[in-house]
PDB file of all heavy atoms in Angstrom:
ATOM      1  N   ILE A   1      21.982 -58.817-157.689  1.00  0.00           N
ATOM      2  CA  ILE A   1      20.603 -58.760-157.211  1.00  0.00           C
ATOM      3  C   ILE A   1      19.991 -60.151-157.293  1.00  0.00           C
ATOM      4  O   ILE A   1      20.208 -60.880-158.266  1.00  0.00           O
ATOM      5  CB  ILE A   1      19.772 -57.763-158.045  1.00  0.00           C
ATOM      6  CG1 ILE A   1      20.405 -56.372-157.986  1.00  0.00           C
ATOM      7  CG2 ILE A   1      18.331 -57.711-157.542  1.00  0.00           C
ATOM      8  CD1 ILE A   1      19.746 -55.353-158.893  1.00  0.00           C
ATOM      9  N   ARG A   2      19.228 -60.512-156.276  1.00  0.00           N
ATOM     10  CA  ARG A   2      18.549 -61.816-156.239  1.00  0.00           C
ATOM     11  C   ARG A   2      17.039 -61.606-156.272  1.00  0.00           C
ATOM     12  O   ARG A   2      16.510 -60.733-155.583  1.00  0.00           O
ATOM     13  CB  ARG A   2      18.945 -62.592-154.979  1.00  0.00           C
ATOM     14  CG  ARG A   2      20.436 -62.896-154.898  1.00  0.00           C
ATOM     15  CD  ARG A   2      20.812 -63.488-153.550  1.00  0.00           C
ATOM     16  NE  ARG A   2      22.247 -63.746-153.444  1.00  0.00           N
ATOM     17  CZ  ARG A   2      23.146 -62.825-153.108  1.00  0.00           C
ATOM     18  NH1 ARG A   2      22.739 -61.593-152.847  1.00  0.00           N
ATOM     19  NH2 ARG A   2      24.426 -63.138-153.036  1.00  0.00           N
ATOM     20  N   CYS A   3      16.379 -62.410-157.038  1.00  0.00           N
ATOM     21  CA  CYS A   3      14.919 -62.341-157.114  1.00  0.00           C
ATOM     22  C   CYS A   3      14.421 -63.657-157.700  1.00  0.00           C
ATOM     23  O   CYS A   3      15.201 -64.483-158.179  1.00  0.00           O
ATOM     24  CB  CYS A   3      14.445 -61.154-157.958  1.00  0.00           C
ATOM     25  SG  CYS A   3      14.833 -61.319-159.712  1.00  0.00           S
ATOM     26  N   THR A   4      13.120 -63.850-157.668  1.00  0.00           N
ATOM     27  CA  THR A   4      12.544 -65.046-158.284  1.00  0.00           C
ATOM     28  C   THR A   4      12.492 -64.855-159.800  1.00  0.00           C
ATOM     29  O   THR A   4      12.562 -63.728-160.312  1.00  0.00           O
ATOM     30  CB  THR A   4      11.129 -65.307-157.748  1.00  0.00           C
ATOM     31  OG1 THR A   4      10.273 -64.219-158.124  1.00  0.00           O
ATOM     32  CG2 THR A   4      11.142 -65.454-156.227  1.00  0.00           C
ATOM     33  N   ILE A   5      12.348 -65.966-160.506  1.00  0.00           N
ATOM     34  CA  ILE A   5      12.244 -65.893-161.967  1.00  0.00           C
ATOM     35  C   ILE A   5      10.990 -65.121-162.372  1.00  0.00           C
ATOM     36  O   ILE A   5      10.986 -64.364-163.353  1.00  0.00           O
ATOM     37  CB  ILE A   5      12.242 -67.310-162.564  1.00  0.00           C
ATOM     38  CG1 ILE A   5      13.592 -67.984-162.302  1.00  0.00           C
ATOM     39  CG2 ILE A   5      11.936 -67.277-164.059  1.00  0.00           C
ATOM     40  CD1 ILE A   5      13.688 -69.407-162.812  1.00  0.00           C
ATOM     41  N   GLU A   6       9.924 -65.270-161.599  1.00  0.00           N
ATOM     42  CA  GLU A   6       8.693 -64.534-161.880  1.00  0.00           C
ATOM     43  C   GLU A   6       8.926 -63.028-161.768  1.00  0.00           C
ATOM     44  O   GLU A   6       8.470 -62.252-162.616  1.00  0.00           O
ATOM     45  CB  GLU A   6       7.592 -64.972-160.911  1.00  0.00           C
ATOM     46  CG  GLU A   6       6.247 -64.330-161.178  1.00  0.00           C
ATOM     47  CD  GLU A   6       5.180 -64.799-160.213  1.00  0.00           C
ATOM     48  OE1 GLU A   6       5.545 -65.285-159.108  1.00  0.00           O
ATOM     49  OE2 GLU A   6       3.982 -64.695-160.556  1.00  0.00           O
ATOM     50  N   GLU A   7       9.652 -62.601-160.728  1.00  0.00           N
ATOM     51  CA  GLU A   7       9.955 -61.179-160.573  1.00  0.00           C
ATOM     52  C   GLU A   7      10.874 -60.695-161.683  1.00  0.00           C
ATOM     53  O   GLU A   7      10.732 -59.559-162.182  1.00  0.00           O
ATOM     54  CB  GLU A   7      10.616 -60.946-159.205  1.00  0.00           C
ATOM     55  CG  GLU A   7       9.678 -61.128-158.030  1.00  0.00           C
ATOM     56  CD  GLU A   7      10.405 -61.037-156.701  1.00  0.00           C
ATOM     57  OE1 GLU A   7      11.580 -61.473-156.624  1.00  0.00           O
ATOM     58  OE2 GLU A   7       9.806 -60.532-155.738  1.00  0.00           O
ATOM     59  N   LEU A   8      11.833 -61.538-162.073  1.00  0.00           N
ATOM     60  CA  LEU A   8      12.755 -61.155-163.143  1.00  0.00           C
ATOM     61  C   LEU A   8      12.007 -60.910-164.450  1.00  0.00           C
ATOM     62  O   LEU A   8      12.282 -59.936-165.167  1.00  0.00           O
ATOM     63  CB  LEU A   8      13.813 -62.247-163.317  1.00  0.00           C
ATOM     64  CG  LEU A   8      14.970 -61.955-164.268  1.00  0.00           C
ATOM     65  CD1 LEU A   8      15.791 -60.779-163.755  1.00  0.00           C
ATOM     66  CD2 LEU A   8      15.855 -63.178-164.438  1.00  0.00           C
ATOM     67  N   ILE A   9      11.053 -61.751-164.738  1.00  0.00           N
ATOM     68  CA  ILE A   9      10.267 -61.574-165.961  1.00  0.00           C
ATOM     69  C   ILE A   9       9.400 -60.319-165.880  1.00  0.00           C
ATOM     70  O   ILE A   9       9.232 -59.587-166.867  1.00  0.00           O
ATOM     71  CB  ILE A   9       9.397 -62.829-166.216  1.00  0.00           C
ATOM     72  CG1 ILE A   9      10.296 -64.022-166.563  1.00  0.00           C
ATOM     73  CG2 ILE A   9       8.384 -62.584-167.327  1.00  0.00           C
ATOM     74  CD1 ILE A   9       9.552 -65.339-166.702  1.00  0.00           C
ATOM     75  N   SER A  10       8.853 -60.042-164.688  1.00  0.00           N
ATOM     76  CA  SER A  10       8.029 -58.836-164.538  1.00  0.00           C
ATOM     77  C   SER A  10       8.859 -57.565-164.703  1.00  0.00           C
ATOM     78  O   SER A  10       8.348 -56.536-165.150  1.00  0.00           O
ATOM     79  CB  SER A  10       7.333 -58.848-163.180  1.00  0.00           C
ATOM     80  OG  SER A  10       8.274 -58.697-162.122  1.00  0.00           O
ATOM     81  N   ARG A  11      10.141 -57.624-164.348  1.00  0.00           N
ATOM     82  CA  ARG A  11      11.007 -56.454-164.494  1.00  0.00           C
ATOM     83  C   ARG A  11      11.476 -56.274-165.934  1.00  0.00           C
ATOM     84  O   ARG A  11      11.724 -55.151-166.381  1.00  0.00           O
ATOM     85  CB  ARG A  11      12.217 -56.587-163.574  1.00  0.00           C
ATOM     86  CG  ARG A  11      11.858 -56.551-162.092  1.00  0.00           C
ATOM     87  CD  ARG A  11      13.067 -56.811-161.212  1.00  0.00           C
ATOM     88  NE  ARG A  11      12.681 -56.928-159.803  1.00  0.00           N
ATOM     89  CZ  ARG A  11      13.537 -57.176-158.809  1.00  0.00           C
ATOM     90  NH1 ARG A  11      14.831 -57.322-159.069  1.00  0.00           N
ATOM     91  NH2 ARG A  11      13.096 -57.272-157.568  1.00  0.00           N
ATOM     92  N   PHE A  12      11.611 -57.394-166.644  1.00  0.00           N
ATOM     93  CA  PHE A  12      12.088 -57.339-168.031  1.00  0.00           C
ATOM     94  C   PHE A  12      11.146 -58.178-168.914  1.00  0.00           C
ATOM     95  O   PHE A  12      11.513 -59.246-169.400  1.00  0.00           O
ATOM     96  CB  PHE A  12      13.527 -57.866-168.129  1.00  0.00           C
ATOM     97  CG  PHE A  12      14.472 -57.203-167.181  1.00  0.00           C
ATOM     98  CD1 PHE A  12      14.830 -57.826-165.987  1.00  0.00           C
ATOM     99  CD2 PHE A  12      14.998 -55.946-167.463  1.00  0.00           C
ATOM    100  CE1 PHE A  12      15.698 -57.215-165.099  1.00  0.00           C
ATOM    101  CE2 PHE A  12      15.873 -55.328-166.580  1.00  0.00           C
ATOM    102  CZ  PHE A  12      16.224 -55.959-165.395  1.00  0.00           C
ATOM    103  N   PRO A  13       9.924 -57.697-169.117  1.00  0.00           N
ATOM    104  CA  PRO A  13       8.919 -58.506-169.846  1.00  0.00           C
ATOM    105  C   PRO A  13       9.300 -58.772-171.299  1.00  0.00           C
ATOM    106  O   PRO A  13       8.874 -59.779-171.870  1.00  0.00           O
ATOM    107  CB  PRO A  13       7.648 -57.649-169.742  1.00  0.00           C
ATOM    108  CG  PRO A  13       8.141 -56.263-169.462  1.00  0.00           C
ATOM    109  CD  PRO A  13       9.379 -56.411-168.664  1.00  0.00           C
ATOM    110  N   LYS A  14      10.091 -57.899-171.915  1.00  0.00           N
ATOM    111  CA  LYS A  14      10.476 -58.107-173.305  1.00  0.00           C
ATOM    112  C   LYS A  14      11.427 -59.291-173.463  1.00  0.00           C
ATOM    113  O   LYS A  14      11.606 -59.797-174.580  1.00  0.00           O
ATOM    114  CB  LYS A  14      11.129 -56.845-173.857  1.00  0.00           C
ATOM    115  CG  LYS A  14      10.198 -55.644-173.936  1.00  0.00           C
ATOM    116  CD  LYS A  14      10.913 -54.436-174.498  1.00  0.00           C
ATOM    117  CE  LYS A  14       9.990 -53.222-174.556  1.00  0.00           C
ATOM    118  NZ  LYS A  14      10.676 -52.028-175.104  1.00  0.00           N
ATOM    119  N   LYS A  15      12.033 -59.718-172.373  1.00  0.00           N
ATOM    120  CA  LYS A  15      13.000 -60.809-172.419  1.00  0.00           C
ATOM    121  C   LYS A  15      12.425 -62.100-171.834  1.00  0.00           C
ATOM    122  O   LYS A  15      13.175 -63.001-171.462  1.00  0.00           O
ATOM    123  CB  LYS A  15      14.262 -60.427-171.650  1.00  0.00           C
ATOM    124  CG  LYS A  15      15.055 -59.297-172.277  1.00  0.00           C
ATOM    125  CD  LYS A  15      15.767 -59.770-173.537  1.00  0.00           C
ATOM    126  CE  LYS A  15      16.609 -58.676-174.142  1.00  0.00           C
ATOM    127  NZ  LYS A  15      17.401 -59.149-175.292  1.00  0.00           N
ATOM    128  N   GLU A  16      11.113 -62.187-171.737  1.00  0.00           N
ATOM    129  CA  GLU A  16      10.492 -63.350-171.094  1.00  0.00           C
ATOM    130  C   GLU A  16      10.907 -64.663-171.755  1.00  0.00           C
ATOM    131  O   GLU A  16      11.293 -65.629-171.084  1.00  0.00           O
ATOM    132  CB  GLU A  16       8.971 -63.213-171.112  1.00  0.00           C
ATOM    133  CG  GLU A  16       8.257 -64.399-170.464  1.00  0.00           C
ATOM    134  CD  GLU A  16       6.751 -64.220-170.413  1.00  0.00           C
ATOM    135  OE1 GLU A  16       6.251 -63.165-170.871  1.00  0.00           O
ATOM    136  OE2 GLU A  16       6.066 -65.146-169.898  1.00  0.00           O
ATOM    137  N   ALA A  17      10.860 -64.706-173.066  1.00  0.00           N
ATOM    138  CA  ALA A  17      11.189 -65.950-173.770  1.00  0.00           C
ATOM    139  C   ALA A  17      12.643 -66.345-173.539  1.00  0.00           C
ATOM    140  O   ALA A  17      12.952 -67.519-173.288  1.00  0.00           O
ATOM    141  CB  ALA A  17      10.914 -65.787-175.262  1.00  0.00           C
ATOM    142  N   GLU A  18      13.547 -65.383-173.592  1.00  0.00           N
ATOM    143  CA  GLU A  18      14.965 -65.685-173.402  1.00  0.00           C
ATOM    144  C   GLU A  18      15.258 -66.080-171.959  1.00  0.00           C
ATOM    145  O   GLU A  18      16.113 -66.931-171.702  1.00  0.00           O
ATOM    146  CB  GLU A  18      15.804 -64.470-173.804  1.00  0.00           C
ATOM    147  CG  GLU A  18      15.715 -64.135-175.279  1.00  0.00           C
ATOM    148  CD  GLU A  18      16.551 -62.926-175.644  1.00  0.00           C
ATOM    149  OE1 GLU A  18      17.769 -62.950-175.383  1.00  0.00           O
ATOM    150  OE2 GLU A  18      15.977 -61.954-176.171  1.00  0.00           O
ATOM    151  N   ILE A  19      14.559 -65.472-171.010  1.00  0.00           N
ATOM    152  CA  ILE A  19      14.753 -65.823-169.596  1.00  0.00           C
ATOM    153  C   ILE A  19      14.312 -67.265-169.353  1.00  0.00           C
ATOM    154  O   ILE A  19      15.014 -68.044-168.707  1.00  0.00           O
ATOM    155  CB  ILE A  19      13.982 -64.839-168.684  1.00  0.00           C
ATOM    156  CG1 ILE A  19      14.611 -63.448-168.749  1.00  0.00           C
ATOM    157  CG2 ILE A  19      13.973 -65.346-167.240  1.00  0.00           C
ATOM    158  CD1 ILE A  19      13.821 -62.378-168.017  1.00  0.00           C
ATOM    159  N   LYS A  20      13.145 -67.612-169.884  1.00  0.00           N
ATOM    160  CA  LYS A  20      12.652 -68.974-169.691  1.00  0.00           C
ATOM    161  C   LYS A  20      13.562 -69.997-170.370  1.00  0.00           C
ATOM    162  O   LYS A  20      13.810 -71.083-169.843  1.00  0.00           O
ATOM    163  CB  LYS A  20      11.233 -69.090-170.230  1.00  0.00           C
ATOM    164  CG  LYS A  20      10.188 -68.379-169.384  1.00  0.00           C
ATOM    165  CD  LYS A  20       8.790 -68.605-169.936  1.00  0.00           C
ATOM    166  CE  LYS A  20       7.742 -67.969-169.033  1.00  0.00           C
ATOM    167  NZ  LYS A  20       6.363 -68.179-169.549  1.00  0.00           N
ATOM    168  N   GLN A  21      14.072 -69.634-171.517  1.00  0.00           N
ATOM    169  CA  GLN A  21      14.980 -70.544-172.208  1.00  0.00           C
ATOM    170  C   GLN A  21      16.289 -70.709-171.436  1.00  0.00           C
ATOM    171  O   GLN A  21      16.824 -71.818-171.332  1.00  0.00           O
ATOM    172  CB  GLN A  21      15.266 -70.012-173.614  1.00  0.00           C
ATOM    173  CG  GLN A  21      16.198 -70.915-174.422  1.00  0.00           C
ATOM    174  CD  GLN A  21      16.478 -70.357-175.808  1.00  0.00           C
ATOM    175  OE1 GLN A  21      15.994 -69.284-176.167  1.00  0.00           O
ATOM    176  NE2 GLN A  21      17.259 -71.073-176.599  1.00  0.00           N
ATOM    177  N   ALA A  22      16.818 -69.607-170.865  1.00  0.00           N
ATOM    178  CA  ALA A  22      18.072 -69.663-170.125  1.00  0.00           C
ATOM    179  C   ALA A  22      17.957 -70.540-168.890  1.00  0.00           C
ATOM    180  O   ALA A  22      18.882 -71.294-168.564  1.00  0.00           O
ATOM    181  CB  ALA A  22      18.508 -68.250-169.731  1.00  0.00           C
ATOM    182  N   PHE A  23      16.801 -70.481-168.222  1.00  0.00           N
ATOM    183  CA  PHE A  23      16.627 -71.241-166.993  1.00  0.00           C
ATOM    184  C   PHE A  23      15.820 -72.526-167.203  1.00  0.00           C
ATOM    185  O   PHE A  23      15.316 -73.106-166.238  1.00  0.00           O
ATOM    186  CB  PHE A  23      15.960 -70.367-165.926  1.00  0.00           C
ATOM    187  CG  PHE A  23      16.827 -69.223-165.462  1.00  0.00           C
ATOM    188  CD1 PHE A  23      16.577 -67.930-165.913  1.00  0.00           C
ATOM    189  CD2 PHE A  23      17.894 -69.428-164.611  1.00  0.00           C
ATOM    190  CE1 PHE A  23      17.365 -66.868-165.510  1.00  0.00           C
ATOM    191  CE2 PHE A  23      18.687 -68.376-164.191  1.00  0.00           C
ATOM    192  CZ  PHE A  23      18.430 -67.090-164.651  1.00  0.00           C
ATOM    193  N   SER A  24      15.688 -72.932-168.455  1.00  0.00           N
ATOM    194  CA  SER A  24      15.052 -74.211-168.822  1.00  0.00           C
ATOM    195  C   SER A  24      13.641 -74.331-168.269  1.00  0.00           C
ATOM    196  O   SER A  24      13.260 -75.327-167.644  1.00  0.00           O
ATOM    197  CB  SER A  24      15.917 -75.392-168.334  1.00  0.00           C
ATOM    198  OG  SER A  24      17.217 -75.328-168.882  1.00  0.00           O
TER     199      SER A  24
END
């Protein structure tokens, strides 16, 4: 699945910090 980082965070809000860290 492809989406923007903003959409990814909205789908998995509990993982926001880890998502931002993974994608710098």
Side-chain angles (χ1 to χ4, degrees):
I1 302 174
R2 299 172 182 83
C3 68
T4 64
I5 295 178
E6 184 179 22
E7 290 174 326
L8 187 63
I9 292 174
S10 68
R11 294 175 187 179
F12 307 100
K14 295 180 181 180
K15 293 287 182 175
E16 180 177 359
E18 295 180 57
I19 292 173
K20 288 183 176 180
Q21 181 181 1
F23 293 103
S24 302

